[in-house]
Amino acid sequence: MEQKKNLTISGSGSAPGGSYEDVKINGSGKIHGDIICHSIAINGSGRLSGDAKATNIMISGSAVLEKNLISEAFTVNGACKVEGNVTGERIHISGRARILGAVHGEQIRISGILTVEGDLEGEDLIAEGPLTVGGLCSADRIEITLAGMISRIKEIGCGTLTVHRRFAPNFFGQLLPSFARKKLVVDSIEGDEIFLEDTEAKVVRGNRVTIGAGCTIGQVTYKTDYQKDDKAVVQSVIKG
Amino acid sequence: MEEELIAKKDLLEMTGISYGQLYRWKRKQLIPEDWFIRKSTFTGQETFFPKEKMLKRVQMISELKDTLSLDELAERVSPQSVNKIVLSEQELISRNIVSQTTLRVYRAIDPSLKTFPFDDVLALFLLERLLKNGQITIEEAKELLNTLKTYSHKVYDKSSSLYFVRKMGVPMFLLVAQEVAVYFDDGVNVIEKIQLPSCIEALKATIGENNQTNS
């Protein structure tokens, strides 16, 4: 078997795509064309102009991927923009990522800012921090902890959904009420078990629905259980 | 040709599946994206499904989900998975996918092919069906094969149909990608309309069964 070569760009430079073992960009680098390799690590700033396929992709600096990305583990600790779709088993975003296509993953952990313009799909989705999804956000289990700015999701479809507010005392929040409003804004939510706090939604449909404090909901449709906090506003409730 | 639709809510009630399951199946691509039809109703936007297809699919998944994993199921219903299927002449015969007669007709057009990728297997399968029903002649079969050979790879993953029509004895084949209504003038006889997706599934099931008994 042919031994694949490593590719390292230290300083500034560019390289052609192709098949490699480990790829590292330590300064600023650009890779032209599609790339397939074992791992990609970008520590400075990097730009990939083609599709990227790698077992591990780690972005600690800033990166722009102009096409699609497929990996087993995709980690962003810095900032990353992907102009195509992202497919990965484990997706971990601790910095800021913006994906113009769709995201398909299994385990998705977000502790930074994630914006997905297409659909966001996974089995297990845990998000802390502002999350924006332009399409459908779908997972077996979704846990959202509201922090930072407003999260906006067009649609949620899931098994269980929990949306919590973070209880950390917020000094700014007491001074400026506009900072205190961390909320989730959704068009429609559908799921088996739904627990919401500080959520604005037009429609919520589920089997067991709990509407917690700070929610403003247009219509709730539930099957077995329904509870509402006194500090929530629900316009209409249907058991069906 | 307007299909009957079923609202998501009614579907869940009728089949007893949950939102979680429905979305999981959607994620695994067990239910094609274009079956999710959005319509605005007085309560806001709602999702509808083509009733007959959806109920069949849900039933199939419910029946098989205990024996197969969701990924295996996805493989079975996904149009892409067929690309891996390649059969030899002998396999085609021994698995009862096509008869000798059909194969001979095929050979008359393309004698060189030794193994058959899925496109050709599908063409043969359709041909077999039409020949067996006595709906087409051998001459027409050649035309059909030419049509399918040229275009089938373009349409077999969409919800396309094959029309076989005659007007004043002149045969004609139409491959219609996507599901649309097709209207003909009065002199046209629609001899056969075959929906490719259901045909592909039937074929895949045949191949799949044989694989299991063989191994």
Side-chain angles (χ1 to χ4, degrees):
Chain A
M1 212 180 95
E2 198 194 335
Q3 185 75 36
K4 291 199 187 101
K5 283 185 193 142
N6 292 340
L7 169 69
T8 308
I9 298 176
S10 305
S12 126
S14 73
S19 171
Y20 297 99
E21 187 62 34
D22 295 319
V23 175
K24 248 188 209 170
I25 295 177
N26 287 324
S28 118
K30 182 168 180 183
I31 292 170
H32 299 277
D34 297 346
I35 187 164
I36 178 162
C37 57
H38 177 255
S39 77
I40 299 177
I42 295 175
N43 292 317
S45 95
R47 179 178 273 268
L48 308 182
S49 75
D51 286 332
K53 191 172 179 182
T55 317
N56 288 299
I57 298 179
M58 164 83 102
I59 291 161
S60 310
S62 92
V64 178
L65 288 88
E66 294 177 6
K67 292 259 174 69
N68 305 309
L69 180 160
I70 299 175
S71 74
E72 264 172 43
F74 175 50
T75 311
V76 177
N77 289 321
C80 179
K81 179 179 172 193
V82 180
E83 291 173 7
N85 301 323
V86 172
T87 311
E89 265 167 49
R90 294 182 300 282
I91 297 173
H92 199 130
I93 294 172
S94 324
R96 189 179 56 200
R98 184 176 155 83
I99 289 134
L100 304 190
V103 177
H104 300 271
E106 299 259 326
Q107 308 283 327
I108 305 173
R109 301 273 179 284
I110 304 151
S111 38
I113 305 172
L114 174 67
T115 306
V116 180
E117 302 209 343
D119 293 347
L120 171 63
E121 294 186 337
E123 289 310 307
D124 219 33
L125 168 67
I126 297 179
E128 191 172 327
L131 171 66
T132 307
V133 181
L136 170 70
C137 174
S138 159
D140 223 31
R141 186 170 71 105
I142 302 178
E143 249 176 61
I144 297 174
T145 308
L146 297 169
M149 299 172 290
I150 295 174
S151 294
R152 276 177 212 278
I153 299 174
K154 184 150 180 287
E155 269 180 85
I156 296 179
C158 60
T160 51
L161 166 71
T162 36
V163 180
H164 278 290
R165 52 165 67 152
R166 190 150 62 174
F167 277 107
N170 190 323
F171 180 66
F172 282 111
Q174 286 163 2
L175 290 178
L176 300 158
S178 64
F179 270 96
R181 289 298 291 167
K182 295 163 191 154
K183 62 179 178 182
L184 170 68
V185 182
V186 198
D187 266 6
S188 83
I189 299 174
E190 287 182 344
D192 297 338
E193 290 195 32
I194 298 169
F195 176 90
L196 301 174
E197 269 179 353
D198 285 345
T199 300
E200 260 177 42
K202 286 183 193 147
V203 188
V204 176
R205 301 191 189 97
N207 290 349
R208 297 150 61 89
V209 181
T210 310
I211 307 290
C215 289
T216 315
I217 312 288
Q219 189 189 67
V220 176
T221 311
Y222 71 100
K223 229 180 230 155
T224 50
D225 282 299
Y226 170 68
Q227 276 173 34
K228 185 181 96 65
D229 191 276
D230 292 339
K231 290 189 210 100
V233 182
V234 176
Q235 276 165 12
S236 69
V237 183
I238 302 168
K239 181 174 162 61
Chain B
M1 257 195 6
E2 186 80 359
E3 284 185 293
E4 204 185 333
L5 297 177
I6 182 167
K8 191 191 270 174
K9 203 178 79 194
D10 300 332
L11 175 84
L12 297 185
E13 202 147 297
M14 226 163 132
T15 55
I17 60 173
S18 66
Y19 284 112
Q21 275 172 309
L22 184 70
Y23 281 105
R24 192 174 315 133
W25 295 349
K26 184 187 183 199
R27 283 199 302 277
K28 293 284 180 191
Q29 285 160 10
L30 291 172
I31 299 163
E33 184 75 42
D34 58 359
W35 289 12
F36 287 75
I37 301 160
R38 287 164 186 289
K39 285 195 172 182
S40 37
T41 57
F42 67 95
T43 49
Q45 265 216 340
E46 277 207 52
T47 308
F48 291 83
F49 300 96
K51 189 169 177 180
E52 207 180 306
K53 282 197 268 185
M54 191 66 193
L55 287 175
K56 244 193 212 161
R57 180 64 58 93
V58 169
Q59 199 194 351
M60 187 198 102
I61 299 169
S62 316
E63 275 170 13
L64 292 173
K65 74 173 174 2
D66 297 326
T67 48
L68 294 173
S69 74
L70 285 184
D71 289 317
E72 284 167 327
L73 267 173
E75 182 100 333
R76 185 168 288 197
V77 297
S78 145
Q80 265 79 38
S81 69
V82 299
N83 293 334
K84 284 185 238 146
I85 297 174
V86 177
L87 295 177
S88 71
E89 192 174 317
Q90 216 191 337
E91 281 174 303
L92 283 173
I93 303 281
S94 67
R95 293 182 182 194
N96 277 330
I97 295 166
V98 292
S99 62
Q100 289 283 2
T101 327
T102 314
L103 205 61
R104 248 198 315 275
V105 176
Y106 189 89
R107 280 277 171 255
I109 298 164
D110 189 350
S112 60
L113 213 59
K114 289 269 182 306
T115 53
F116 297 82
F118 189 78
D119 283 358
D120 294 276
V121 179
L122 180 64
L124 278 164
F125 189 70
L126 289 167
L127 186 64
E128 171 85 11
R129 199 156 136 183
L130 289 164
L131 280 172
K132 247 193 192 148
N133 296 347
Q135 280 155 327
I136 59 170
T137 64
I138 305 266
E139 266 317 299
E140 289 162 0
K142 288 181 185 163
E143 261 177 65
L144 169 67
L145 277 181
N146 280 332
T147 320
L148 286 174
K149 274 184 92 66
T150 327
Y151 299 109
S152 68
H153 63 283
K154 286 192 186 154
V155 292
Y156 73 71
D157 56 344
K158 303 198 185 89
S159 36
S160 46
S161 317
L162 172 74
Y163 285 84
F164 174 47
V165 299
R166 265 206 195 102
K167 185 178 183 183
M168 307 193 59
V170 181
M172 210 188 281
F173 292 102
L174 296 170
L175 264 179
V176 184
Q178 304 292 351
E179 215 155 306
V180 289
V182 184
Y183 303 98
F184 301 100
D185 72 71
D186 287 345
V188 172
N189 252 331
V190 178
I191 315 259
E192 180 77 54
K193 181 199 167 195
I194 299 178
Q195 286 182 328
L196 292 187
S198 60
C199 203
I200 288 168
E201 253 161 61
L203 177 56
K204 260 197 270 180
T206 329
I207 296 170
E209 268 168 34
N210 281 316
N211 271 345
Q212 274 169 8
T213 48
N214 283 357
S215 57

